Amino acid sequence: MSEDLLVNVTPRETRVAVVENGMLQELHIERGSQRGVVGNIYKGKVQRVMPGMQAAFVDIGLDRAAFLHANDIYRAVSLETAETGVEGMPTPPITELLRDGAEIVVQVVKDPIGSKGARLTTEISIPSRYMVLLPRTKVVGVSARIEDEDERTRLRDQVAGLASGTGHGYIVRTNAEGQPAEALAEDVAYLGRVWALIERSSEGAGVGSCIYEDLSLPLRAVRDLIRRDVDKVKVDSRETCERLREFAARYMPALADKIEHYSGSRPIFDMFGVEDEIQRALDKEVPLKSGGYMVIDQTEAMTTVDVNTGSFLGQRNLEETVFRTNLEAAQAVARQLRLRNLGGIIIIDFIDMQDAEHRRQVLRTLEKSLTKDHAKTTVHDFSPLGLVEMTRKRTVESLERRLCEPCHECGGRGMVRTAETVTYEIFREIVRAVRQFDAARLLVIASPKVVTRITEEESSAVAELEEFLGKSIRFQSDAQYLQEQFDVVLL
């Protein structure tokens, strides 16, 4: 499998694309005016404790108060509990954990999304290249993506030895697979220095101040996304490229040679077809190679995916046609969720299949395709209605909501009233205006499409209305008016 990271840098925006076998799989965007805050650590102040929700609102200096649930408030985990997997004590009432006005150090785990504020936790975690530091715990864990048991045991034993003198816990990341003990020890030392700096900064920090800020997007991409199977990291900014090389030389010298400057005359995203893929990722309809298609609808409550055979006729029978379409759709769904960064509840309406084995294979294909996704996903079996329910962890806004806004003409409904509907609204408004005010003539200003319909298809109705009201009505088109806009002016 060929995989490249493409980094596009402009003065106010940085974009990182993950391209596998020539196809865009992930897109990360960071803008100067909308930089994400996930991973940042703040000195906050509790604004209001809400016992009924087992939560509190915390001021951390952002536009909206952030949300902290009782389950996300740090409570010490004993080494015995961590090793045995025994559940800890039930979460105590929020009133026993926090009080109004209390100052608290918190970390953002979810960006503000829509009308909701950021989601917080007091269980601080600091990521590095190979590990994640869990201060004040004794937990030592290994990423589930490392499947070799011997390697898992080696990593756990080595990190446990390194952690014994620090008083902290660690999670071993997927990138640590195959790394020597020296590299792991360097990470432990680095994380120790970072945590010491955070502790010193938090002592004198004021409410709402940022104690620790995560790396910028290009550095995070190199830290989190570059792996041995990544062929190249192509950067179209020479300055950023040098900064990434210095970062890689310090923390991952074996991979530093993969970073290169792109100096082509064509924009880097155009050269690799990424811009076109981004545009297609904003469409509701996703074509499948077989001729079938999917329709993806993102709503406030959930995301729905509807699979259709379209023009795919198949070779044998209907069941086989449906099965092949669903198999292809299962792979496409996994890619689209990752590319569009869709999260929360996701409902997939595959085409109905009678064969139970076909359903199992489609479900396995979906689960296998989701293994490449960095976000945590949970997939449930087919429901009695033939729907697949799944969840995907959401920490930032989806691609559509990062790049788009509700339509100013339809107010985000996705629909506008027809010219015929607007015509009859105008007629009613004319009658209403004449009954309220005295005027000899009326002028109606509307969009060209509406005025054309009125003067051509509804001319007889206008004549009847003028005779009924005893008033003269004139119509004027204005290209600046949207289809639903109009004004009735009394002359």
Side-chain angles (χ1 to χ4, degrees):
M1 181 185 70
S2 171
E3 183 174 335
D4 292 311
L5 296 184
L6 310 178
V7 182
N8 169 232
V9 181
T10 56
R12 300 294 293 167
E13 180 184 61
T14 300
R15 300 182 296 174
V16 174
V18 179
V19 179
E20 295 177 2
N21 297 323
M23 293 188 67
L24 178 63
Q25 301 293 331
E26 291 181 32
L27 181 69
H28 304 270
I29 301 174
E30 184 173 87
R31 293 173 173 169
S33 60
Q34 300 174 340
R35 185 169 179 180
V37 293
V38 171
N40 291 359
I41 299 175
Y42 293 88
K43 183 72 167 288
K45 182 177 182 179
V46 178
Q47 285 186 333
R48 184 183 177 191
V49 175
M50 298 174 296
M53 296 179 63
Q54 269 286 78
F57 283 117
V58 182
D59 175 20
I60 59 172
L62 301 182
D63 292 339
R64 291 192 297 271
F67 183 84
L68 176 63
H69 194 273
N71 291 337
D72 296 318
I73 296 177
Y74 171 78
R75 287 178 292 119
V77 180
S78 69
L79 181 60
E80 180 182 357
T81 300
E83 290 179 341
T84 60
V86 178
E87 292 293 330
M89 297 295 290
T91 304
I94 187 72
T95 50
E96 295 181 12
L97 301 172
L98 290 177
R99 57 179 174 79
D100 290 352
E103 295 186 2
I104 185 172
V105 175
V106 290
Q107 185 172 37
V108 179
V109 294
K110 182 183 290 187
D111 272 332
I113 296 177
S115 60
K116 300 177 182 178
R119 181 77 181 255
L120 305 176
T121 180
T122 60
E123 298 187 44
I124 307 297
S125 61
I126 311 296
S128 66
R129 172 61 180 163
Y130 302 122
M131 279 180 284
V132 177
L133 170 68
L134 304 176
R136 302 188 297 257
T137 74
K138 300 295 184 181
V139 177
V140 174
V142 180
S143 167
R145 294 179 185 269
I146 300 177
E147 298 179 353
D148 184 272
E149 284 301 326
D150 292 338
E151 178 65 2
R152 291 178 63 85
T153 301
R154 180 188 75 88
L155 290 169
R156 184 181 288 106
D157 292 344
Q158 289 185 349
V159 174
L162 294 169
S164 60
T166 66
H168 303 311
Y170 297 88
I171 299 295
V172 182
R173 305 182 68 179
T174 308
N175 290 334
E177 187 170 10
Q179 294 299 319
E182 294 79 10
L184 302 179
E186 289 177 2
D187 254 26
V188 169
Y190 164 74
L191 289 170
R193 292 193 297 271
V194 172
W195 178 244
L197 179 61
I198 291 173
E199 285 192 307
R200 288 197 301 271
S201 301
S202 64
E203 292 175 0
V207 172
S209 59
C210 182
I211 299 170
Y212 167 84
E213 187 172 16
D214 204 359
L215 300 174
S216 63
L217 176 58
L219 295 176
R220 289 201 312 272
V222 169
R223 181 191 70 191
D224 299 337
L225 300 178
I226 187 172
R227 300 180 295 274
R228 286 189 175 84
D229 53 358
V230 172
D231 295 332
K232 291 291 181 183
V233 179
K234 301 178 187 291
V235 190
D236 64 1
S237 163
R238 191 175 298 277
E239 180 183 349
T240 302
C241 182
E242 290 303 318
R243 192 160 70 248
L244 294 183
R245 282 173 176 164
E246 292 173 3
F247 180 83
R250 181 176 181 183
Y251 296 108
M252 52 196 84
L255 302 177
D257 291 340
K258 294 179 180 286
I259 302 172
E260 63 180 39
H261 177 241
Y262 172 80
S263 56
S265 56
R266 292 184 63 190
I268 187 170
F269 274 23
D270 288 352
M271 183 67 183
F272 291 89
V274 172
E275 293 290 6
D276 292 337
E277 288 284 348
I278 294 173
Q279 294 304 314
R280 285 193 284 269
L282 298 176
D283 294 337
K284 289 177 60 173
E285 190 170 305
V286 180
L288 302 175
K289 291 181 179 179
S290 64
Y293 66 93
M294 305 186 305
V295 178
I296 301 177
D297 273 309
Q298 184 182 356
T299 69
E300 193 68 27
M302 67 183 70
T303 296
T304 61
V305 183
D306 183 33
V307 182
N308 300 279
T309 55
S311 61
F312 181 45
L313 303 177
Q315 299 289 331
R316 300 179 184 176
N317 53 52
L318 177 60
E319 179 69 18
E320 188 69 19
T321 301
V322 167
F323 175 53
R324 295 299 173 191
T325 303
N326 283 339
L327 278 180
E328 185 182 1
Q331 299 177 59
V333 165
R335 174 176 176 258
Q336 290 297 325
L337 296 181
R338 186 177 169 194
L339 172 56
R340 299 175 186 232
N341 198 21
L342 297 170
I345 300 172
I346 299 159
I347 307 295
I348 309 171
D349 184 9
F350 287 107
I351 309 168
D352 290 341
M353 294 173 288
Q354 303 301 319
D355 192 318
E357 179 58 27
H358 284 175
R359 291 196 293 272
R360 281 193 292 271
Q361 289 190 42
V362 168
L363 206 60
R364 282 199 297 268
T365 299
L366 175 62
E367 292 171 338
K368 182 179 179 181
S369 300
L370 288 168
T371 56
K372 299 177 183 178
D373 199 334
H374 299 288
K376 181 181 179 181
T377 58
T378 303
V379 181
H380 299 277
D381 203 349
F382 279 87
S383 73
L385 294 177
L387 306 174
V388 171
E389 301 170 3
M390 64 170 289
T391 59
R392 183 176 185 271
K393 186 176 181 180
R394 174 171 55 191
T395 57
V396 297
E397 288 275 26
S398 68
L399 180 64
E400 179 184 62
R401 292 182 178 172
R402 290 291 301 275
L403 301 182
C404 305
E405 64 181 5
C407 169
H408 298 297
E409 183 163 353
C410 69
R413 301 194 311 273
M415 303 285 284
V416 295
R417 292 192 287 275
T418 64
E420 181 181 24
T421 301
V422 177
T423 295
Y424 300 144
E425 288 181 358
I426 290 174
F427 289 168
R428 289 194 293 271
E429 183 61 27
I430 289 173
V431 173
R432 188 180 299 116
V434 169
R435 288 176 176 173
Q436 284 186 309
F437 307 99
D438 185 27
R441 292 176 294 120
L442 295 94
L443 171 65
V444 177
I445 308 172
S447 69
K449 184 176 181 180
V450 172
V451 171
T452 298
R453 176 181 173 80
I454 292 175
T455 56
E456 292 181 2
E457 299 180 39
E458 302 290 348
S459 58
S460 59
V462 173
E464 292 176 6
L465 187 60
E466 287 180 321
E467 183 179 355
F468 172 72
L469 297 174
K471 309 290 182 182
S472 172
I473 307 172
R474 185 163 63 89
F475 296 90
Q476 177 181 319
S477 66
D478 189 328
Q480 299 299 316
Y481 277 59
L482 302 176
Q483 184 163 302
E484 295 185 347
Q485 289 181 310
F486 63 86
D487 284 309
V488 177
V489 182
L490 304 176
L491 302 175

